[in-house]
Short mmCIF file of all heavy atoms in Angstrom, two decimals:
data_model
loop_
_atom_site.label_atom_id
_atom_site.label_comp_id
_atom_site.label_asym_id
_atom_site.label_seq_id
_atom_site.Cartn_x
_atom_site.Cartn_y
_atom_site.Cartn_z
N LEU A 6 76.56 172.30 45.26
CA LEU A 6 76.67 170.87 45.52
C LEU A 6 77.69 170.22 44.59
O LEU A 6 77.77 170.56 43.41
CB LEU A 6 75.28 170.24 45.33
CG LEU A 6 75.04 168.79 45.66
CD1 LEU A 6 73.58 168.58 46.06
CD2 LEU A 6 75.35 167.91 44.47
N ILE A 7 78.48 169.31 45.14
CA ILE A 7 79.47 168.56 44.38
C ILE A 7 79.29 167.08 44.68
O ILE A 7 79.15 166.70 45.84
CB ILE A 7 80.91 168.98 44.75
CG1 ILE A 7 81.11 170.48 44.58
CG2 ILE A 7 81.93 168.20 43.92
CD1 ILE A 7 82.35 171.01 45.27
N ILE A 8 79.27 166.26 43.64
CA ILE A 8 79.15 164.81 43.82
C ILE A 8 80.43 164.13 43.35
O ILE A 8 80.91 164.40 42.25
CB ILE A 8 77.95 164.24 43.03
CG1 ILE A 8 76.63 164.86 43.52
CG2 ILE A 8 77.89 162.71 43.17
CD1 ILE A 8 75.42 164.42 42.72
N ALA A 9 80.97 163.27 44.19
CA ALA A 9 82.09 162.40 43.81
C ALA A 9 81.57 160.97 43.83
O ALA A 9 80.81 160.60 44.73
CB ALA A 9 83.26 162.55 44.77
N GLN A 10 81.94 160.19 42.86
CA GLN A 10 81.38 158.85 42.75
C GLN A 10 82.47 157.84 42.42
O GLN A 10 83.25 158.03 41.48
CB GLN A 10 80.30 158.83 41.67
CG GLN A 10 79.61 157.49 41.49
CD GLN A 10 78.32 157.63 40.72
OE1 GLN A 10 77.40 158.30 41.16
NE2 GLN A 10 78.25 157.01 39.56
N THR A 11 82.52 156.78 43.21
CA THR A 11 83.43 155.69 42.94
C THR A 11 82.66 154.53 42.33
O THR A 11 81.43 154.55 42.29
CB THR A 11 84.15 155.25 44.23
OG1 THR A 11 85.22 154.37 43.90
CG2 THR A 11 83.20 154.58 45.21
N ASP A 12 83.36 153.53 41.85
CA ASP A 12 82.72 152.37 41.23
C ASP A 12 82.15 151.46 42.31
O ASP A 12 82.90 150.90 43.11
CB ASP A 12 83.74 151.62 40.37
CG ASP A 12 83.11 150.45 39.61
OD1 ASP A 12 81.89 150.23 39.74
OD2 ASP A 12 83.85 149.76 38.89
N PHE A 13 80.84 151.35 42.36
CA PHE A 13 80.19 150.56 43.42
C PHE A 13 80.63 149.11 43.39
O PHE A 13 80.68 148.44 44.44
CB PHE A 13 78.66 150.66 43.27
CG PHE A 13 77.90 149.97 44.36
CD1 PHE A 13 78.23 150.17 45.69
CD2 PHE A 13 76.83 149.14 44.06
CE1 PHE A 13 77.52 149.54 46.71
CE2 PHE A 13 76.13 148.51 45.06
CZ PHE A 13 76.47 148.72 46.39
N HIS A 14 80.96 148.60 42.23
CA HIS A 14 81.41 147.20 42.13
C HIS A 14 82.62 146.96 43.02
O HIS A 14 82.68 145.94 43.75
CB HIS A 14 81.75 146.86 40.68
CG HIS A 14 82.36 145.50 40.51
ND1 HIS A 14 81.60 144.36 40.46
CD2 HIS A 14 83.66 145.10 40.39
CE1 HIS A 14 82.40 143.31 40.33
NE2 HIS A 14 83.66 143.74 40.27
N GLU A 15 83.58 147.87 43.00
CA GLU A 15 84.78 147.68 43.82
C GLU A 15 84.46 147.80 45.31
O GLU A 15 84.99 147.03 46.12
CB GLU A 15 85.85 148.69 43.43
CG GLU A 15 87.18 148.47 44.16
CD GLU A 15 88.29 149.37 43.69
OE1 GLU A 15 88.04 150.26 42.83
OE2 GLU A 15 89.42 149.19 44.18
N VAL A 16 83.60 148.73 45.66
CA VAL A 16 83.20 148.88 47.05
C VAL A 16 82.50 147.61 47.54
O VAL A 16 82.82 147.07 48.61
CB VAL A 16 82.28 150.11 47.23
CG1 VAL A 16 81.71 150.16 48.64
CG2 VAL A 16 83.05 151.39 46.93
N GLU A 17 81.54 147.12 46.77
CA GLU A 17 80.79 145.94 47.17
C GLU A 17 81.69 144.71 47.25
O GLU A 17 81.54 143.86 48.16
CB GLU A 17 79.62 145.70 46.21
CG GLU A 17 78.89 144.37 46.39
CD GLU A 17 78.37 144.15 47.79
OE1 GLU A 17 78.28 145.11 48.58
OE2 GLU A 17 78.04 142.98 48.11
N TYR A 18 82.63 144.58 46.33
CA TYR A 18 83.56 143.45 46.39
C TYR A 18 84.33 143.46 47.71
O TYR A 18 84.46 142.42 48.38
CB TYR A 18 84.54 143.52 45.22
CG TYR A 18 85.68 142.53 45.36
CD1 TYR A 18 85.48 141.16 45.12
CD2 TYR A 18 86.96 142.96 45.73
CE1 TYR A 18 86.53 140.26 45.27
CE2 TYR A 18 88.01 142.06 45.87
CZ TYR A 18 87.78 140.72 45.65
OH TYR A 18 88.81 139.83 45.80
N ASN A 19 84.84 144.61 48.10
CA ASN A 19 85.61 144.68 49.34
C ASN A 19 84.74 144.53 50.58
O ASN A 19 85.21 144.00 51.60
CB ASN A 19 86.40 146.00 49.38
CG ASN A 19 87.62 145.95 48.49
OD1 ASN A 19 88.63 145.32 48.83
ND2 ASN A 19 87.54 146.57 47.32
N GLN A 20 83.48 144.96 50.51
CA GLN A 20 82.55 144.66 51.60
C GLN A 20 82.38 143.15 51.75
O GLN A 20 82.41 142.62 52.87
CB GLN A 20 81.18 145.30 51.32
CG GLN A 20 81.13 146.79 51.47
CD GLN A 20 79.78 147.39 51.08
OE1 GLN A 20 79.56 148.55 51.28
NE2 GLN A 20 78.90 146.59 50.52
N THR A 21 82.18 142.48 50.63
CA THR A 21 81.90 141.05 50.65
C THR A 21 83.05 140.25 51.26
O THR A 21 82.83 139.29 52.00
CB THR A 21 81.62 140.55 49.22
OG1 THR A 21 80.51 141.27 48.68
CG2 THR A 21 81.30 139.06 49.21
N ILE A 22 84.29 140.66 50.98
CA ILE A 22 85.44 139.92 51.51
C ILE A 22 85.89 140.46 52.86
O ILE A 22 86.87 139.98 53.44
CB ILE A 22 86.63 139.93 50.52
CG1 ILE A 22 87.18 141.34 50.31
CG2 ILE A 22 86.21 139.29 49.20
CD1 ILE A 22 88.44 141.38 49.46
N GLY A 23 85.16 141.45 53.37
CA GLY A 23 85.47 141.98 54.70
C GLY A 23 86.64 142.93 54.75
O GLY A 23 87.18 143.19 55.83
N ASN A 24 87.04 143.49 53.62
CA ASN A 24 88.17 144.42 53.57
C ASN A 24 87.67 145.85 53.76
O ASN A 24 87.68 146.68 52.84
CB ASN A 24 88.91 144.27 52.24
CG ASN A 24 90.24 145.02 52.24
OD1 ASN A 24 90.57 145.72 53.19
ND2 ASN A 24 90.99 144.88 51.16
N TRP A 25 87.24 146.16 54.97
CA TRP A 25 86.66 147.47 55.25
C TRP A 25 87.72 148.58 55.23
O TRP A 25 87.39 149.75 55.01
CB TRP A 25 85.91 147.44 56.58
CG TRP A 25 84.69 146.58 56.49
CD1 TRP A 25 84.56 145.29 56.91
CD2 TRP A 25 83.44 146.94 55.89
NE1 TRP A 25 83.30 144.82 56.62
CE2 TRP A 25 82.59 145.80 56.01
CE3 TRP A 25 82.94 148.09 55.29
CZ2 TRP A 25 81.29 145.81 55.53
CZ3 TRP A 25 81.64 148.09 54.81
CH2 TRP A 25 80.83 146.96 54.94
N ASP A 26 88.98 148.21 55.47
CA ASP A 26 90.04 149.21 55.36
C ASP A 26 90.11 149.75 53.93
O ASP A 26 90.32 150.95 53.72
CB ASP A 26 91.39 148.62 55.76
CG ASP A 26 91.53 148.44 57.26
OD1 ASP A 26 90.78 149.11 58.01
OD2 ASP A 26 92.38 147.65 57.69
N ARG A 27 89.96 148.86 52.96
CA ARG A 27 89.99 149.29 51.56
C ARG A 27 88.76 150.15 51.22
O ARG A 27 88.87 151.14 50.50
CB ARG A 27 90.05 148.07 50.63
CG ARG A 27 90.04 148.41 49.14
CD ARG A 27 91.18 149.35 48.77
NE ARG A 27 91.18 149.62 47.32
CZ ARG A 27 91.76 150.69 46.78
NH1 ARG A 27 92.40 151.57 47.54
NH2 ARG A 27 91.72 150.89 45.47
N VAL A 28 87.60 149.77 51.77
CA VAL A 28 86.41 150.60 51.58
C VAL A 28 86.66 152.00 52.13
O VAL A 28 86.35 153.01 51.47
CB VAL A 28 85.18 149.97 52.26
CG1 VAL A 28 83.97 150.91 52.19
CG2 VAL A 28 84.82 148.64 51.61
N GLY A 29 87.24 152.06 53.33
CA GLY A 29 87.55 153.36 53.92
C GLY A 29 88.52 154.17 53.09
O GLY A 29 88.38 155.39 52.94
N GLU A 30 89.51 153.48 52.53
CA GLU A 30 90.49 154.16 51.68
C GLU A 30 89.85 154.73 50.42
O GLU A 30 90.08 155.88 50.05
CB GLU A 30 91.61 153.19 51.31
CG GLU A 30 92.72 153.79 50.47
CD GLU A 30 93.79 152.77 50.10
OE1 GLU A 30 93.64 151.58 50.43
OE2 GLU A 30 94.78 153.18 49.46
N LEU A 31 89.02 153.91 49.77
CA LEU A 31 88.36 154.35 48.55
C LEU A 31 87.49 155.58 48.79
O LEU A 31 87.53 156.55 48.03
CB LEU A 31 87.49 153.22 47.98
CG LEU A 31 88.21 152.05 47.32
CD1 LEU A 31 87.24 150.89 47.10
CD2 LEU A 31 88.82 152.49 45.98
N LEU A 32 86.69 155.55 49.85
CA LEU A 32 85.75 156.64 50.09
C LEU A 32 86.45 157.84 50.71
O LEU A 32 86.02 158.99 50.50
CB LEU A 32 84.61 156.15 50.96
CG LEU A 32 83.80 154.99 50.34
CD1 LEU A 32 82.59 154.65 51.20
CD2 LEU A 32 83.37 155.32 48.92
N GLY A 33 87.54 157.60 51.45
CA GLY A 33 88.33 158.72 51.94
C GLY A 33 88.95 159.50 50.79
O GLY A 33 89.04 160.73 50.84
N GLU A 34 89.37 158.78 49.75
CA GLU A 34 89.90 159.45 48.56
C GLU A 34 88.83 160.31 47.89
O GLU A 34 89.11 161.42 47.41
CB GLU A 34 90.43 158.40 47.57
CG GLU A 34 91.70 157.70 48.03
CD GLU A 34 92.07 156.53 47.14
OE1 GLU A 34 91.31 156.24 46.18
OE2 GLU A 34 93.12 155.91 47.38
N GLU A 35 87.60 159.80 47.86
CA GLU A 35 86.50 160.59 47.27
C GLU A 35 86.24 161.85 48.10
O GLU A 35 85.97 162.93 47.56
CB GLU A 35 85.23 159.74 47.17
CG GLU A 35 85.34 158.53 46.28
CD GLU A 35 85.72 158.88 44.85
OE1 GLU A 35 85.21 159.90 44.34
OE2 GLU A 35 86.51 158.14 44.25
N ALA A 36 86.32 161.71 49.43
CA ALA A 36 86.11 162.88 50.29
C ALA A 36 87.17 163.93 50.04
O ALA A 36 86.88 165.14 50.02
CB ALA A 36 86.12 162.44 51.76
N GLU A 37 88.40 163.51 49.83
CA GLU A 37 89.47 164.46 49.54
C GLU A 37 89.25 165.15 48.19
O GLU A 37 89.59 166.33 48.02
CB GLU A 37 90.82 163.75 49.56
CG GLU A 37 91.33 163.47 50.97
CD GLU A 37 91.60 164.75 51.75
OE1 GLU A 37 92.66 165.36 51.54
OE2 GLU A 37 90.72 165.15 52.56
N GLN A 38 88.67 164.44 47.24
CA GLN A 38 88.32 165.08 45.97
C GLN A 38 87.26 166.15 46.17
O GLN A 38 87.31 167.22 45.56
CB GLN A 38 87.85 164.03 44.97
CG GLN A 38 88.94 163.11 44.45
CD GLN A 38 88.46 162.27 43.28
OE1 GLN A 38 87.64 162.69 42.48
NE2 GLN A 38 88.99 161.06 43.19
N LEU A 39 86.29 165.86 47.02
CA LEU A 39 85.26 166.85 47.33
C LEU A 39 85.87 168.08 47.98
O LEU A 39 85.50 169.22 47.65
CB LEU A 39 84.21 166.23 48.26
CG LEU A 39 83.33 165.14 47.67
CD1 LEU A 39 82.50 164.47 48.76
CD2 LEU A 39 82.41 165.70 46.58
N LYS A 40 86.78 167.86 48.91
CA LYS A 40 87.45 168.98 49.57
C LYS A 40 88.21 169.83 48.57
O LYS A 40 88.13 171.06 48.58
CB LYS A 40 88.39 168.44 50.64
CG LYS A 40 89.18 169.51 51.38
CD LYS A 40 90.12 168.88 52.40
CE LYS A 40 91.00 169.94 53.07
NZ LYS A 40 91.94 169.33 54.03
N ALA A 41 88.94 169.17 47.67
CA ALA A 41 89.73 169.90 46.67
C ALA A 41 88.83 170.69 45.73
O ALA A 41 89.23 171.75 45.22
CB ALA A 41 90.59 168.91 45.87
N ALA A 42 87.62 170.19 45.51
CA ALA A 42 86.68 170.87 44.61
C ALA A 42 85.93 172.01 45.30
O ALA A 42 85.19 172.74 44.64
CB ALA A 42 85.69 169.87 44.04
N GLY A 43 86.08 172.13 46.63
CA GLY A 43 85.48 173.26 47.32
C GLY A 43 84.33 172.94 48.25
O GLY A 43 83.67 173.85 48.76
N ALA A 44 84.07 171.65 48.54
CA ALA A 44 83.00 171.30 49.47
C ALA A 44 83.36 171.76 50.88
O ALA A 44 84.51 171.67 51.31
CB ALA A 44 82.76 169.79 49.46
N ASP A 45 82.35 172.26 51.61
CA ASP A 45 82.55 172.68 53.00
C ASP A 45 82.35 171.53 53.97
O ASP A 45 82.87 171.56 55.09
CB ASP A 45 81.57 173.81 53.35
CG ASP A 45 81.88 175.08 52.57
OD1 ASP A 45 83.00 175.60 52.72
OD2 ASP A 45 81.01 175.52 51.79
N PHE A 46 81.57 170.55 53.59
CA PHE A 46 81.34 169.34 54.39
C PHE A 46 80.83 168.29 53.43
O PHE A 46 80.57 168.56 52.25
CB PHE A 46 80.33 169.61 55.51
CG PHE A 46 78.95 169.95 55.04
CD1 PHE A 46 77.98 168.97 54.86
CD2 PHE A 46 78.59 171.27 54.75
CE1 PHE A 46 76.70 169.28 54.42
CE2 PHE A 46 77.32 171.59 54.30
CZ PHE A 46 76.37 170.59 54.14
N PHE A 47 80.68 167.06 53.90
CA PHE A 47 80.17 166.02 53.01
C PHE A 47 79.34 165.01 53.78
O PHE A 47 79.34 164.98 55.01
CB PHE A 47 81.33 165.32 52.28
CG PHE A 47 82.09 164.30 53.09
CD1 PHE A 47 81.91 162.94 52.87
CD2 PHE A 47 83.01 164.69 54.05
CE1 PHE A 47 82.62 161.99 53.60
CE2 PHE A 47 83.74 163.76 54.78
CZ PHE A 47 83.55 162.40 54.55
N PHE A 48 78.63 164.20 53.02
CA PHE A 48 77.99 163.02 53.57
C PHE A 48 78.13 161.89 52.57
O PHE A 48 78.46 162.10 51.41
CB PHE A 48 76.53 163.27 53.95
CG PHE A 48 75.59 163.52 52.79
CD1 PHE A 48 75.06 162.47 52.06
CD2 PHE A 48 75.21 164.81 52.45
CE1 PHE A 48 74.18 162.70 51.00
CE2 PHE A 48 74.33 165.05 51.41
CZ PHE A 48 73.82 163.98 50.67
N ILE A 49 77.89 160.67 53.05
CA ILE A 49 78.03 159.48 52.23
C ILE A 49 76.64 158.94 51.96
O ILE A 49 75.88 158.64 52.90
CB ILE A 49 78.89 158.41 52.94
CG1 ILE A 49 80.22 159.02 53.39
CG2 ILE A 49 79.12 157.21 52.04
CD1 ILE A 49 80.92 158.22 54.47
N ALA A 50 76.27 158.83 50.70
CA ALA A 50 74.91 158.46 50.31
C ALA A 50 74.69 156.95 50.37
O ALA A 50 74.27 156.31 49.41
CB ALA A 50 74.62 159.00 48.91
N CYS A 51 74.96 156.39 51.54
CA CYS A 51 74.83 154.94 51.74
C CYS A 51 74.93 154.65 53.23
O CYS A 51 75.79 155.22 53.91
CB CYS A 51 75.93 154.20 50.99
SG CYS A 51 75.97 152.42 51.25
N ASN A 52 74.08 153.77 53.73
CA ASN A 52 74.17 153.34 55.13
C ASN A 52 75.29 152.34 55.33
O ASN A 52 76.11 152.46 56.24
CB ASN A 52 72.85 152.73 55.59
CG ASN A 52 71.76 153.75 55.83
OD1 ASN A 52 71.58 154.24 56.93
ND2 ASN A 52 71.02 154.07 54.78
N THR A 53 75.32 151.30 54.49
CA THR A 53 76.21 150.17 54.70
C THR A 53 77.67 150.58 54.87
O THR A 53 78.37 150.09 55.77
CB THR A 53 76.09 149.17 53.53
OG1 THR A 53 74.77 148.60 53.54
CG2 THR A 53 77.10 148.06 53.67
#
């Protein structure tokens, strides 16, 4: 198992202002870090 973690404050700020493209960019970058570290698949530990 590999965990990548971004700063929730930045994610929540962009959610609040409706900048979902930035949320997607931030979490897409984390997914790429997981891939580089050897993850075979991933999930996002959040519904929102």
